[in-house]
Amino acid sequence: MNTRVLYVDLLERKSWVRDRSDLFEKMLGGVGVASHLLLEECTPKVDPFSPEAPIIFATGPLTGIYPCMAKAVCLFKSPLTGNLGETHAGGHFATALTTAGYGALVIKGGSLHPVVLKIRDDKVEVKTASSLWGLGTRAVDEALAEPIKNGLQSIASIGPAGEHMVLYANVIVDVHHHFGRLGLGAVWGAKKLKAITIIGTKSVPLPNPQAVKAFYEKVEHEVVATDKMSKYHNLGTPSNVLELNALGALPTRNFRERRFEGAEEMSGERFAETVFRRKVTCTNCPVACIHLGSLLKTFAPDHEKGRTEIVKEENLVAYNYEPMFALGSNLGISSPSRILELIDLCEDLGLDAMMTGSVLAWVTEAYERGVLDEKTLEVKPRWGDPDNVYPQMIKNIAEAKTPFYSRLAQGVAKVSDRYGGRDFAASLGGNSPAGYATGYGHIVGTLVGARHSHLSNSGYSIDQQIAAGKAKVEDIAGFLVKQENWLYVLYSLVACYFSRSVYTPDIVVEALATLGMKVNKEDLERLGREIFHTLYRFKIREGFDLEKEYIPKLLRELDTPIGRLDPQTLKKIIAQYIELREREGLTIRKKEESLAEFRLPQSEG
């Protein structure tokens, strides 16, 4: 297990290494290790844009060894929510960091000038990168890519959105992957950190290579020879479009409808028929879940002296369900090429496509309701974007072009606080929800999750079980607690979420045993619970108060396959969840308040 932590101070342009075997042996790696490093390095109540605000990356003990163990996790203080920032990325980043010799990376300080952090095994440099400032993420990747004979390279970068500190700016990894949510890109922009490039050429030491080989084959069989992950290889998550539409759970036009008349056209099947070109994969993963679509772009008019070039340039753009929903059905757009165009724009500018879609949906509805006028917007947004104004609006957001677009750059909750329309601003815990109008589980799960993501606790999945008659609403709170505790074990390894049906507790115990790590299922259960509690205590320390979180009307009265949601039932499930967590020893409520005084959602209190 790689237990070395690389520390980098961007201001002083210096680095050092500490061995933290104490931490890795106790917390495995990934989120477990990063949560402790965050508490060590992050001053309480620090401004997320302060030079003192740290950025923590971590890999896991199985990184580079077993299939689907290719994710890196990053913890930071989120400028979007003001508390925990947690985001995961695939690609080559985790394996490159591991083979460079590090289990974690801590970045501190802030540069006065644009810089790139270059790591090549033991050689660590902070180099001036003024020429890269202002470039999109594709151009940065092309500029920093090096021809290497041995090892693995990963490049992570921000686009103009990060430079302008858009609160939901992301970090693009190896062109097609992301540290996508909660504003990591803005934190990089504040530190003038344009990019990180890592080249790792070392091997991963194994205590018993024969045992690892035998177990690798067992896991690989589960991955490629069963149906457990076949969905992700075949159509990928875009297969969700028709499934959710048939269920009546595909959010459409700012969550106002749950079926989309253009679902067939924007489906994974139609993407496969019309724009699909090839798949790419993370290091050491045989699934290849990243599907790339062809986007034909015209050359700039001045390239041909104002004439339209008959030959077009092809960009390959990664597409999956979440950006397709956010920039497709949720905006009333069904054309694969139009959706790819918006995804590609967000990628190059370095914007979280999900939050961008939520912001555009709120703007469109606000304009429709008369909350916003054309003078403020400078355009007339309409569902389906018949006037093609969304691309310019996205560029304006990325550049924080005007005071209004600067507000849009703060996310959908904050802009609605300023201009009105809070009840149709799709936001939970300060983050925009994923594309599931499935029921109570998704709404409560996103709200209570440590990172306010559908990947926090899979709330949408118990909704689907309820819709199928296989579970009850009374089961939701317990499901969310159990699921999030276990996922934090997987996120400490750091496993891909898609492989959760492969890496069961028994498999994880066996996998760790091949590396000489003796743990049992009870140890893992305790660890997952401890990690969640640590992260939640950080959130509470930074000001998060679950009881004061607001659920907008469009979500607390969402129409779903099991009927329109009842605010009182939502309130009851959240109270059950808090009670279960407090039985574990995590204090969420203020002592003087009782469940009878519970105020969620506020407007229903």
Side-chain angles (χ1 to χ4, degrees), residues 235 238-239 241-242 263-264 266-273 319 324:
L235 287 178
S239 64
V241 172
L242 290 184
E264 286 282 350
M266 67 165 279
S267 66
E269 289 81 353
R270 186 61 59 85
F271 266 69
E273 292 168 0
Y319 63 89
M324 287 168 65

Side-chain angles (χ1 to χ4, degrees), residues 114-191:
V115 293
V116 57
L117 170 59
K118 291 191 169 186
I119 301 169
R120 187 179 185 117
D121 294 338
D122 297 327
K123 185 178 180 181
V124 180
E125 300 174 286
V126 178
K127 307 285 285 186
T128 299
S130 299
S131 62
L132 300 179
W133 204 250
L135 295 181
T137 58
R138 281 183 184 272
V140 174
D141 191 277
E142 291 169 1
L144 293 177
E146 296 181 36
I148 57 174
K149 294 182 179 178
N150 301 306
L152 195 65
Q153 181 176 25
S154 179
I155 299 169
S157 64
I158 62 170
E163 297 172 8
H164 290 95
M165 293 186 285
V166 175
L167 299 191
Y168 46 97
N170 63 12
V171 172
I172 302 296
V173 179
D174 303 327
V175 181
H176 301 305
H177 307 264
H178 322 80
F179 287 110
R181 309 226 69 194
L182 299 175
L184 178 63
V187 177
W188 282 33
K191 293 181 178 299

Side-chain angles (χ1 to χ4, degrees), residues 1 23 99 130 252 387 412 476 485 512 529:
M1 181 164 54
L23 202 50
T99 54
S130 299
T252 299
D387 302 319
V412 69
I476 291 175
N485 286 351
L512 292 173
R529 186 168 59 243

Side-chain angles (χ1 to χ4, degrees), residues 323-346:
M324 287 168 65
F325 131 76
L327 300 170
S329 66
N330 211 36
L331 298 177
I333 298 174
S334 58
S335 162
S337 61
R338 290 292 314 282
I339 294 171
L340 277 184
E341 178 191 2
L342 296 180
I343 294 174
D344 183 58
L345 190 55
C346 288

Side-chain angles (χ1 to χ4, degrees), residues 11 40 61 79 82 274 281 288 456 459 533 573:
L11 178 62
E40 289 178 9
T274 58
T281 188
S456 293
H533 289 193
I573 298 169

